[in-house]
Amino acid sequence: MSPCLGSDIDPTLPHHRAQSMDEIFLPAQNQYPVWYFFYGTLADPEILARQTSRSELPVLRRATVKGGIIKMWGGKYKALIDGPSSAIVDGWTYEVNSGEEEEQLRYYETDQYEVVRCEIHILESGVLVKGLTFRFIDD
């Protein structure tokens, strides 16, 4: 299940470990489409379209995640870091459709961020999905 968003989750504790050898933590590697949670510049449809080489504006949905907090990095960039499990971050979610699209997003976010698993609450539908987000690698 690691890496995942939230400082309260220790993947070495028994209740966070796989219950069997067949258990798969979602989203799996190379699983597409996959939901991504955005909270900064990628939540702007025009920037997201440009970074994913899309000709039309992408559809973003209002969403939240638990287990993180936002801090400012470099005085102008939002940076998601681990927080208590009760902390809620507002943002947007988007369904990434291919590995190429995902690579473009990772390139845009630079090596200052890592991709981690999270549960995304899509507000308009009330659905909770297993997804990914970019977590700042704090220095």
Side-chain angles (χ1 to χ4, degrees):
M1 79 181 276
S2 187
C4 57
L5 184 63
S7 60
D8 296 346
I9 298 174
D10 181 351
T12 63
L13 294 176
H15 59 284
H16 291 301
R17 293 186 200 145
Q19 300 302 307
S20 73
M21 295 295 288
D22 300 328
E23 189 167 354
I24 298 172
F25 292 103
L26 298 175
Q29 292 287 78
N30 301 317
Q31 174 185 330
Y32 302 100
V34 62
W35 289 100
Y36 261 81
F37 176 79
F38 300 132
Y39 50 86
T41 56
L42 286 174
D44 179 328
E46 291 180 2
I47 292 174
L48 184 57
R50 187 170 46 250
Q51 295 311 314
T52 55
S53 304
R54 298 175 61 94
S55 58
E56 70 282 345
L57 291 180
V59 175
L60 289 135
R61 293 177 170 83
R62 249 1 234 139
T64 61
V65 293
K66 286 186 175 182
I69 57 173
I70 297 289
K71 74 174 205 173
M72 295 306 287
W73 173 57
K76 61 181 179 176
Y77 299 107
K78 289 183 177 181
L80 179 66
I81 59 172
D82 286 334
S85 60
S86 60
I88 297 174
V89 176
D90 293 317
W92 298 86
T93 192
Y94 167 72
E95 200 168 26
V96 172
N97 292 301
S98 68
E100 295 79 23
E101 198 173 60
E102 185 178 44
E103 279 304 311
Q104 291 170 316
L105 296 174
R106 288 178 184 222
Y107 179 79
Y108 174 77
E109 287 292 0
T110 76
D111 61 358
Q112 292 295 313
Y113 294 83
E114 64 182 339
V115 174
V116 296
R117 289 184 172 103
C118 62
E119 286 192 338
I120 303 169
H121 180 217
I122 303 173
L123 298 178
E124 70 184 38
S125 64
V127 173
L128 193 66
V129 296
K130 303 280 186 182
L132 301 169
T133 193
F134 289 99
R135 177 174 64 191
F136 183 66
I137 301 171
D138 205 359
D139 44 34

